Amino acid sequence: MSDKIGIFVCECGPNIAGRVDIDKIVKEISELKDFNDKELVVKKHKLLCSVGGKKFLEEEIKSNNLTHMVCAACSPRDHDTTFINVCKKTQMNPYLYTMVNIREHCAWVIPDKEEATKKAIQYIHGGINRVFYQEELFEKQLESNPDVLVIGGGIAGIESALNLASEERTVYLIEKAPEPGGKTMQGSNLNFIRQKTAKLLNNPNVKIFTNTKLENIIGFQGNFEIVIKNIISNELTEFMAGAVIIATGYDLLDCKGSEYFNFTDKDDVFSGLEIEALMSAQKKIVKKNGKAPSSVGMAHCAGREKVGYCSKICCNYLLKISGYLKTMYPDIPIRHYVKELCLPNKENQSYYNEMKSGGVEFQYVKSLNLNGETVNYTDIYGNAGESAHDMIVYAQAMIPASGSNELAKLLNTDLDEFGFYKEAHLKIDPISTSNDGIFAVGAAHGPADVTDSVIQAKAAVAKISVQLIPGQKIIPEVKVSEILEAYCTGCQTCLQICKYGAIYFDDERAVSVVNEAVCRGCGNCVGSCPSGSIRSKHFTNPQLFQEVKEAVR
């Protein structure tokens, strides 16, 4: 069958059509002289990614019996998968299609309409050149295990386990402490966490391992081989799982005796968590001698300068404690020492206003030093001040949980510059990590309160539920790296570069080999190979050359 290619130009509403001449593009592409031996079908559409647009593409491929396709539209990051899925509904191999970005690369960055149109035509011409050098690729199906490992028994881990566990899916929850619950168990809202924990303990599809840590893990999404270890008995347990949720929570920065926070255990200085524990145990806030405070200072941002970020929840935390105090002791003076007030949720402002109208004072400062119950500060105008209280409550910075570095190495995931687990994409995929099938939720991902932790846990559950459907196979990445063995020198540089562990060395043949089930097609090995023996499928030199030579003319 002769090659027949469809070139479809998306107007993207006014995003593209308002900035380039769509009709001119269709006309000039239709009249190209260097594809006389090919049959071109060139058409435009208002919005290819819409339901109508996808139906239009599907009908065009079928009715014209297309063998290749080029979509000139927006970024492949937005809709490459969309158009691949359209191709899968037809007779055309989905990997004989390519997408050309004429929105971000032409329409949005070139103010002159004529120049933008000219560049768009060049890009589409390059895309046509490239697609004829593409080879058919075929997806492979792999068996997958629907079970999930949850690391951490705090609220995020409990919520993840409860929402995932079913008769068709076992959840293995490991917690390094003697019991699940996390730091929420030290708070004042114990009924909530106790109810959740009771549901967890009574769920037959959740296997809980306390005093336990992850010992080893190998494999890939759908097929992780996992070994866990009891830190008391050293007993090992092995099982398979298809995904991992990191819900290791957070630690709190120890501010005691630091440069700015100078106090001892004898002073009536309490962290927010200690106040929560006091409320839980005694239902009231008192000093260490059991007496009621007569004046309370609230120190915000303890340790923020050291960690380099806002912990997000601390201001609301101290406002809540102010509410406790005002309920118990309506007449005592309460003063907050604030550098930068963080009220991230829409309802927070009204609560702040309520506290102010109720007599709670807010002193905005540039710097603050704590000496026992005495606060020395410099206000925002540069004036020095000093206030004596008989109780201080401070909000510590939230920091990554201890052991995060070691766990990240085991899981082959990235940490951000602060030591929290780094998201795959801040906006598009905020709960995934750099390793497919491994997710980070709650405070493992960054400072988070209970509500944030629950939301993120449910987001991870949703992703796992659609990626690991019990009884269904998974389809790994198709555009993977391949090694041309005739040129491989056996230097093993690629083994050191591959962060997914997808390459191994065959001693008998003295060459490196790619495990296509594990490879994610990132291309790092391609750039690192001294002999040039590695290439990425669909990103071979001839394919890229054909696309680039026209686009840069």
Side-chain angles (χ1 to χ4, degrees):
M1 183 176 68
S2 60
D3 291 334
K4 191 173 184 181
I5 182 170
I7 300 100
F8 302 103
V9 184
C10 182
E11 295 181 4
C12 196
N15 286 300
I16 296 176
R19 296 170 178 266
V20 300
D21 190 334
I22 298 289
D23 292 330
K24 184 177 181 180
I25 291 174
V26 171
K27 181 177 182 296
E28 292 205 14
I29 293 296
S30 300
E31 297 173 352
L32 288 173
K33 301 299 183 184
D34 49 349
F35 300 107
N36 290 332
D37 59 333
K38 318 287 185 185
E39 187 176 347
L40 306 185
V41 176
V42 188
K43 295 185 179 182
K44 65 179 181 179
H45 192 276
K46 290 189 178 297
L47 199 63
L48 287 176
C49 65
S50 66
V51 173
K54 290 183 283 188
K55 187 67 177 175
F56 163 78
L57 286 176
E58 185 180 341
E59 291 173 352
E60 287 292 323
I61 295 170
K62 289 178 178 178
S63 61
N64 291 293
N65 206 23
L66 298 180
T67 60
H68 300 73
M69 183 172 75
V70 174
C71 288
C74 58
S75 168
R77 294 190 70 171
D78 290 341
H79 288 297
D80 191 43
T81 302
T82 301
F83 300 137
I84 285 177
N85 288 334
V86 169
C87 295
K88 288 179 179 180
K89 298 178 180 179
T90 71
Q91 80 287 346
M92 195 184 90
N93 186 288
Y95 298 97
L96 295 182
Y97 134 86
T98 195
M99 189 172 179
V100 179
N101 185 355
I102 62 170
R103 187 179 71 179
E104 282 86 342
H105 291 177
C106 302
W108 282 359
V109 295
I110 303 175
D112 185 277
K113 188 171 185 177
E114 185 176 344
E115 284 297 317
T117 302
K118 180 182 176 182
K119 179 59 71 175
I121 292 169
Q122 290 175 324
Y123 271 35
I124 296 169
H125 195 173
I128 299 170
N129 279 333
R130 182 196 202 281
V131 80
F132 286 122
Y133 279 80
Q134 292 178 196
E135 298 175 354
E136 288 187 318
L137 299 179
F138 299 94
E139 296 174 344
K140 300 175 182 178
Q141 293 188 337
L142 298 175
E143 297 289 345
S144 69
N145 189 309
D147 298 341
V148 178
L149 167 67
V150 177
I151 305 174
I155 186 59
I158 291 173
E159 192 69 30
S160 300
L162 289 175
N163 282 275
L164 279 168
S166 70
E167 292 183 359
E168 297 178 310
R169 192 193 312 275
T170 299
V171 175
Y172 300 88
L173 185 145
I174 64 173
E175 167 59 50
K176 63 182 180 181
E179 61 179 352
K183 288 187 174 60
T184 317
M185 292 294 285
Q186 301 175 41
S188 58
N189 193 7
L190 278 180
N191 285 338
F192 169 75
I193 190 65
R194 282 173 177 163
Q195 289 171 6
K196 291 282 186 181
T197 305
K199 286 183 180 180
L200 184 77
L201 295 171
N202 293 322
N203 193 313
N205 301 304
V206 179
K207 295 185 178 180
I208 303 172
F209 298 84
T210 55
N211 297 311
T212 299
K213 68 173 186 176
L214 178 67
E215 181 70 9
N216 194 29
I217 179 170
I218 59 173
F220 50 92
Q221 178 176 260
N223 291 277
F224 289 110
E225 297 177 21
I226 295 164
V227 181
I228 58 176
K229 180 180 181 179
N230 186 290
I231 57 180
I232 296 175
S233 67
N234 291 326
E235 179 184 356
L236 300 178
T237 304
E238 300 181 17
F239 55 88
M240 295 288 295
V244 178
I245 293 180
I246 307 168
T248 49
Y250 64 94
D251 283 339
L252 292 169
L253 185 69
D254 185 6
C255 300
K256 189 185 300 182
S258 67
E259 180 181 357
Y260 302 105
F261 282 72
N262 183 25
F263 62 91
T264 67
D265 291 336
K266 295 180 180 179
D267 296 314
D268 281 302
V269 179
F270 301 83
S271 69
L273 199 60
E274 287 171 335
I275 293 292
E276 289 277 17
L278 197 61
M279 281 291 294
S280 176
Q282 301 184 27
K283 307 302 180 187
K284 62 180 180 179
I285 300 173
V286 293
K287 298 192 299 179
K288 291 179 179 178
N289 61 8
K291 296 181 179 180
S294 59
S295 171
V296 181
M298 300 279 190
H300 290 243
C301 300
R304 178 170 177 172
E305 298 91 346
K306 184 174 182 178
V307 299
Y309 54 83
C310 172
S311 292
K312 184 181 175 181
I313 70 169
C314 313
C315 292
N316 284 326
Y317 203 58
L318 292 186
L319 284 175
K320 181 175 74 170
I321 293 172
S322 293
Y324 292 158
L325 286 164
K326 275 298 178 183
T327 301
M328 297 173 201
Y329 316 112
D331 298 326
I332 68 167
I334 300 173
R335 183 185 242 192
H336 287 248
Y337 298 90
V338 182
K339 293 181 181 177
E340 295 179 55
L341 194 65
C342 177
L343 302 172
N345 301 315
K346 59 184 179 182
E347 67 273 11
N348 299 152
Q349 183 67 38
S350 60
Y351 191 57
Y352 166 70
N353 293 338
E354 181 185 335
M355 289 296 103
K356 284 189 71 175
S357 63
V360 175
E361 185 182 353
F362 291 83
Q363 173 68 61
Y364 288 88
V365 301
K366 285 184 177 179
S367 62
L368 176 148
N369 287 280
L370 198 64
N371 294 291
E373 296 95 357
T374 300
V375 180
N376 298 100
Y377 62 90
T378 303
D379 68 18
I380 56 175
Y381 305 106
N383 301 316
E386 181 178 296
S387 295
H389 303 276
D390 65 351
M391 176 183 279
I392 297 290
V393 182
Y394 67 97
Q396 299 156 276
M398 297 174 71
I399 59 175
S402 60
S404 293
N405 284 325
E406 294 78 8
L407 185 58
K409 289 176 182 177
L410 272 177
L411 296 171
N412 196 22
T413 55
D414 294 334
L415 299 177
D416 64 20
E417 65 269 34
F418 305 114
F420 293 103
Y421 291 90
K422 189 175 183 179
E423 60 278 333
H425 190 284
L426 184 62
K427 298 295 184 183
I428 299 173
D429 201 0
I431 46 88
S432 297
T433 67
S434 55
N435 194 348
D436 286 354
I438 298 179
F439 304 86
V441 299
H445 173 271
D449 59 15
V450 170
T451 302
D452 290 335
S453 298
V454 170
I455 291 171
Q456 290 177 20
K458 289 183 176 180
V461 167
K463 296 241 352 171
I464 292 170
S465 297
V466 297
Q467 291 176 357
L468 294 175
I469 301 173
Q472 290 192 15
K473 296 181 180 180
I474 61 171
I475 300 172
E477 177 62 57
V478 177
K479 292 177 278 189
V480 297
S481 295
E482 59 182 348
I483 296 174
L484 305 177
E485 295 185 8
Y487 301 101
C488 179
T489 62
C491 69
Q492 303 184 46
T493 301
C494 52
L495 274 70
Q496 302 171 37
I497 293 296
C498 180
K499 75 179 302 296
Y500 299 102
I503 304 176
Y504 64 93
F505 190 71
D506 188 322
D507 292 312
E508 290 186 7
R509 292 181 292 164
V511 294
S512 294
V513 181
V514 175
N515 181 345
E516 294 190 0
V518 183
C519 179
R520 310 320 306 155
C522 69
N524 287 341
C525 57
V526 178
S528 69
C529 180
S531 65
S533 63
I534 311 179
R535 66 179 186 178
S536 292
K537 294 180 180 180
H538 260 239
F539 290 94
T540 62
N541 289 337
Q543 290 167 355
L544 296 175
F545 174 72
Q546 292 300 324
E547 185 170 33
V548 171
K549 75 173 184 179
E550 180 63 34
V552 299
R553 265 192 353 188

